[in-house]
Amino acid sequence: MTIQRRRRDKSDRSSRNQDRLSRFNPGALALGLSLLSLVGSGWLKSGGLKLAISGVAAVLLIGALVKIFRVLDFSSPRLVNGTPRQLAWIRIVVCLTALIYTLMEDLPAIASMPAGMRNDDQFFHVLNSLPGYSTLLSSPYLLATLQWTTAVLLFSGLIGFLTRPTLFLGSLGFFLMQAILRHYTYQYHSGLVLIYLVLVITWTPCAATWSIDSWLNHQKPQPGRQSVGFSVYACFAVMAVVYVLSGLSKLRGSGLDWFRGDNIELKLVQDALSPIFFDYKWKATIWLVQHHAPGYVFAIIGTVGLIVELGYVTVLFSRTAQIIIPIAALGVHVGILVFQHILFPDLLMLQLIFLNVDWVTNFCGRHFRTGDRAVSAQVRNDIPPRLLSSLPAVATALMVAIFFVAWVWSVEYYPLSSWNMYSYAQRKGPLHYLKVIATLENGRSIVIPTRDFSPAWLPSGRDILARVFRTTRHSEKFDAFLSFYVQRRNRNLMFGSLITRMEIQLWRWNYLVDPNDPRFGWAIGVYPYNVPSKPSPSR
C-alpha cells in the first residue's frame, strides 16, 4: 500500500509539473520577446516608433512576468534558497548597510551650505516646492532629528522589532536623506540599489525568524513557503536588473569601442588623478601607465567588468550562479577601488544576500554543537505550494518594467537611473583634472583633496568644483560655497593653521607624451578665492 501511494504521489507531482511547464512556455516566450523589443528600443532615437515599441514591450513584459511568477515554484530549492532564515538574513544585511549609510554622513552640516548650491531640476524641484522643506534644510537640529530617527528605525528593522512599521518609516527616512545629499551634489549612483531593497524588503514576511517579533509572538502563523521564496527572489531580481542595465548602458553608449584598451585606460587615469578614496602617493593605474602597460591589459579589466554585469542575470535561474557571480562582482568592486579609487559600500555588502545562511547554520550546528541536531532547511516536495497571489507578482513585474523603461529613455530622476556609468567611449589624449591649493596662515601651501569639498561622503567633489570653470565670470554663489568650506575647516583647525587663500586650479596632463611627468601636467586655469578677515555668513 505504501508503494502504491508513493507511485500515485509521483504521478500527481509529474502531472502538476507538466501542467506548470505547459503554462510556463508561453510566458517564457512572451518574456523573451518583450525583453528583446524593450532592450532593442533603447538603441532607437527618440520618436514615435521608440515610444510605441517600448510601451507595448513594457506591457508585454509585465504580463509575461506575472504569468511566470504565478507558475514558478519559489519554495523549491532548485530556484532559490527560499526559507524564512534566508529572508531574515537579507533583512539584516540590507538594514545594516542602510544604517551604515545613514550614520556615516554629517547631515546637520548641510544646513550651513549656501541655498544657491541646491539643484532645482526634476525631483529636486518637487522637493523645493514642498512646504517646510526649506525649513528642514536650514535647521541643523531638524536634520539631526531626521538622521537619528532614521537610524533608530533602521536598527529596529535590523533586529526585527515592530518590523513592518519600522521598516516602512525607516525606508521613507532613508529615501529623504539620500535625496537631500543629492540635492546639494548630483545624481550619484552609490546607495540607489539600497533604496530599492529597503523599499522592497518592507513588504515581505522578513520577520518570521531571527527577529524580536517572532520571539515575542510564537503563536503567529508562519508565512507561506511560496511567499517567502518569492520575497527572496524579488530581492535577487533588484540586484540582477541593476547590474544588467549597467552593462547594457556601456554597450549602448560605446558599442564595441568599450572593449578598446585606450578607452578603459583614459577612464582609469582620470579617476586616479582625482581619487575619492585611498589617496596614496602610489596609484596602481598611474604605475601601469608609467610602465607602458599594453592596451590589452586595460581591455581585459574592462571586459571582465562588463561580463560580470551582463552575467548577473544568471542569479535568477541558477543556484550555481548565486555562488559564483556575487564573488566575481565583489572582485570587480575591489578592482574599482584599487584602480579608480571609487568605493561602493552598498554593492560590496549587498553581495552577502546571496550567502546560503541555512547551509552555514547547519554546518555550524553539525561542527560546533555537540549532541545538537542541525535543522534541515529543505522543504517537502510532496506538498504542492499555493499559487503566488497577484499583488506581489504584479508589483515586482511593474518594478522591473519601470527599471527597463527608465533605461530605454535614459531617465535620471531620483531614485530612478539609466545607470550610464562610464558608458561612453573615449580616445587616448590629454586629460584635464582639478587641484585645490590652499595657503595657510603660517605660510605653508597644501593640496586639499577634491573629495573634501563634497558635502556627502561618497560622491566626488570634482563635479562640484568643475562648475566654476563653466562660466567666465566670478561666481558669488561659488564664493559662498568656498566660504562655507573655509569656515568649517578653520573652526577646528583641520590643517593645523587657518586657511587664508585658495586656488581652484584646472590642470592638463598629456600622459601619452610624458607619462613620467612628476607633476602630472601643468595648470591652465585658476579660480582664486581670498578668505576675508572676518568671514561673512554663508547665507
Side-chain angles (χ1 to χ4, degrees):
M1 183 180 292
T2 303
I3 296 175
Q4 290 177 352
R5 185 180 298 117
R6 285 180 179 173
R7 285 177 178 171
R8 188 171 63 249
D9 287 345
K10 289 181 179 180
S11 176
D12 292 342
R13 194 181 311 127
S14 176
S15 64
R16 282 200 311 271
N17 290 338
Q18 289 178 0
D19 180 58
R20 283 173 175 265
L21 188 61
S22 65
R23 288 181 289 167
F24 175 79
N25 285 336
L29 181 62
L31 176 63
L33 179 62
S34 62
L35 281 176
L36 285 175
S37 302
L38 197 55
V39 171
S41 66
W43 267 264
L44 297 176
K45 295 182 179 180
S46 297
L49 181 61
K50 180 174 183 176
L51 180 62
I53 294 177
S54 62
V56 172
V59 173
L60 183 61
L61 175 63
I62 294 173
L65 286 176
V66 171
K67 184 176 181 62
I68 291 174
F69 289 159
R70 297 267 291 163
V71 169
L72 286 177
D73 181 8
F74 292 98
S75 66
S76 170
R78 297 177 182 177
L79 192 61
V80 292
N81 183 42
T83 65
R85 283 189 293 196
Q86 187 69 37
L87 186 57
W89 169 249
I90 294 176
R91 183 199 79 230
I92 292 170
V93 172
V94 170
C95 287
L96 177 61
T97 309
L99 182 62
I100 293 173
Y101 265 66
T102 301
L103 294 178
M104 72 184 181
E105 300 290 356
D106 185 9
L107 196 65
I110 293 286
S112 301
M113 287 198 65
M117 295 298 294
R118 298 176 193 168
N119 297 316
D120 193 37
D121 57 341
Q122 299 180 346
F123 180 75
F124 305 108
H125 179 74
V126 177
L127 287 180
N128 286 332
S129 63
L130 294 178
Y133 182 70
S134 295
T135 304
L136 170 65
L137 294 185
S138 61
S139 171
Y141 304 105
L142 291 178
L143 290 172
T145 301
L146 170 63
Q147 182 174 12
W148 286 103
T149 301
T150 301
V152 170
L153 291 169
L154 290 173
F155 181 75
S156 298
L158 188 154
I159 62 177
F161 178 66
L162 299 175
T163 311
R164 181 65 59 83
T166 55
L167 276 179
F168 175 71
L169 296 175
S171 64
L172 294 181
F174 187 72
F175 178 91
L176 181 57
M177 262 196 66
Q178 292 297 309
I180 291 173
L181 294 173
R182 286 163 176 79
H183 200 168
Y184 283 94
T185 52
Y186 55 93
Q187 170 78 323
Y188 60 92
H189 293 90
S190 183
L192 289 183
V193 179
L194 195 53
I195 294 173
Y196 306 151
L197 285 175
V198 172
L199 292 171
V200 167
I201 201 72
T202 299
W203 307 104
T204 65
C206 58
T209 187
W210 288 357
S211 68
I212 293 179
D213 289 345
S214 64
W215 180 68
L216 292 176
N217 190 0
H218 294 286
Q219 304 303 321
K220 186 176 180 179
Q222 291 293 307
R225 294 178 292 141
Q226 188 78 332
S227 175
V228 173
F230 181 72
S231 299
V232 173
Y233 190 84
C235 295
F236 289 0
V238 171
M239 296 283 288
V241 170
V242 167
Y243 272 97
V244 169
L245 293 181
S246 181
L248 289 175
S249 292
K250 295 177 176 61
L251 292 180
R252 179 174 63 178
S254 301
L256 295 179
D257 285 342
W258 167 261
F259 301 97
R260 292 198 333 264
D262 60 335
N263 170 51
I264 305 300
E265 180 180 354
L266 187 67
K267 288 174 168 55
L268 299 186
V269 174
Q270 184 78 58
D271 286 331
L273 291 174
S274 301
I276 303 177
F277 295 95
F278 299 121
D279 186 9
Y280 300 124
K281 185 176 181 180
W282 184 88
K283 296 179 175 65
T285 300
I286 303 299
W287 185 88
L288 288 176
V289 169
Q290 292 179 337
H291 287 77
H292 309 286
Y296 67 79
V297 172
F298 296 98
I300 290 173
I301 293 174
T303 302
V304 169
L306 185 60
I307 289 174
V308 171
E309 288 177 342
L310 295 177
Y312 216 101
V313 68
T314 56
V315 303
L316 297 181
F317 48 81
S318 169
R319 289 296 300 272
T320 303
Q322 291 168 17
I323 299 173
I324 297 174
I325 293 296
I327 295 174
L330 192 67
V332 167
H333 287 292
V334 170
I336 291 173
L337 181 60
V338 171
F339 291 106
Q340 295 181 265
H341 303 267
I342 299 175
L343 179 63
F344 290 93
D346 55 337
L347 297 180
L348 283 168
M349 294 187 64
L350 290 176
Q351 306 304 328
L352 292 174
I353 69 173
F354 293 94
L355 178 66
N356 189 331
V357 292
D358 290 282
W359 182 88
V360 174
T361 303
N362 291 336
F363 178 85
C364 294
R366 288 193 302 267
H367 291 80
F368 301 107
R369 295 180 184 176
T370 56
D372 198 11
R373 188 176 54 167
V375 180
S376 175
Q378 197 78 4
V379 297
R380 293 178 58 190
N381 291 325
D382 58 337
I383 301 177
R386 290 177 8 186
L387 284 177
L388 185 70
S389 62
S390 299
L391 183 60
V394 172
T396 304
L398 185 61
M399 175 189 67
V400 171
I402 289 174
F403 286 165
F404 270 96
V405 170
W407 175 82
V408 168
W409 291 94
S410 299
V411 173
E412 294 296 333
Y413 192 98
Y414 177 84
L416 295 177
S417 174
S418 57
W419 299 92
N420 285 316
M421 294 184 292
Y422 302 93
S423 297
Y424 299 100
Q426 296 172 288
R427 295 282 181 182
K428 266 186 178 183
L431 51 81
H432 299 83
Y433 65 101
L434 297 172
K435 274 187 181 182
V436 182
I437 310 297
T439 302
L440 304 182
E441 193 176 44
N442 60 12
R444 288 193 306 123
S445 292
I446 61 172
V447 177
I448 301 178
T450 55
R451 70 174 184 277
D452 200 43
F453 289 84
S454 174
W457 196 64
L458 290 171
S460 170
R462 71 185 181 195
D463 294 308
I464 300 173
L465 297 175
R467 299 175 191 175
V468 74
F469 291 102
R470 295 170 188 162
T471 179
T472 57
R473 297 183 299 176
H474 213 74
S475 172
E476 293 183 1
K477 181 172 68 175
F478 192 73
D479 283 353
F481 170 71
L482 294 179
S483 175
F484 152 74
Y485 174 82
V486 170
Q487 290 179 46
R488 185 159 59 99
R489 290 307 183 210
N490 281 352
R491 190 179 300 122
N492 54 9
L493 292 179
M494 178 71 179
F495 304 110
S497 182
L498 297 177
I499 299 174
T500 59
R501 190 176 189 276
M502 284 200 304
E503 286 185 352
I504 315 299
Q505 299 180 353
L506 179 63
W507 282 58
R508 182 181 186 272
W509 181 32
N510 192 344
Y511 69 96
L512 296 176
V513 176
D514 191 3
N516 295 304
D517 181 0
R519 300 178 72 241
F520 303 117
W522 59 92
I524 60 173
V526 175
Y527 184 92
Y529 174 72
N530 293 309
V531 180
S533 55
K534 290 185 178 180
S536 58
S538 59
R539 292 185 179 272

